[in-house]
Amino acid sequence: MTATTPAFSALAHGWCALSLLHGRIEAHLERVLGTDHGLSPREYSLLDVLSRQHDGDGGHLQMKQVAHAVVLSQSATTRLVTRLEDRGLLSRYLCPTDRRGIYTDVTEAGRELLEAARPAHDAALRAALAQAAQDPRLEPLVRVLQPSSAPVAATV
């Protein structure tokens, strides 16, 4: 397949649209979460992922699982965890059954911040998607992202 074939061109256009949509959403979340709660979208995502862990066997995520969930390298995830730990939002501790393993958990302050930020995050996400739905290049992607019971509002 060459770069001039229609299938490649459609694929490339789709990828560009997806990248554009992601960038717009990320920028909007960055503004809202940063201004209102002092969090980046990655920090919010990390707190959210870690808050969903549970105690007991298999209840805690390994750092590589966390990295995969927040779409970062393991080293970038470790730096992010360290920043949030320094702010008192996360804590680390040794695995009780394997002293080589280190778990990360959300502190009470982290849970409070996450719960305070969640409505702003969700509203910002809805607003960014509603705005993107107005762009004919992005509307099909926005439509796919919407749960069938929650259509995107036409106005922002």
Side-chain angles (χ1 to χ4, degrees), residues 7 14 18 50 62 71 75 88 93 100-101 110 114-115 121 127 131 141-142 148 151 153 155:
L18 182 59
L50 292 175
Q62 297 173 350
V71 193
S75 61
Y93 59 94
R100 295 171 296 172
L114 177 63
E115 290 310 310
H121 173 272
Q131 180 76 30
L141 292 171
V142 172
S148 58
T155 59

Side-chain angles (χ1 to χ4, degrees), residues 35-71:
T35 300
D36 296 348
H37 300 285
L39 288 171
S40 73
R42 298 279 186 191
E43 291 168 336
Y44 176 90
S45 293
L46 180 62
L47 288 172
D48 185 53
V49 165
L50 292 175
S51 74
R52 296 176 195 277
Q53 298 181 117
H54 59 83
D55 291 332
D57 291 342
H60 291 274
L61 300 173
Q62 297 173 350
M63 286 304 281
K64 66 182 176 184
Q65 294 169 305
V66 174
H68 180 72
V70 295
V71 193

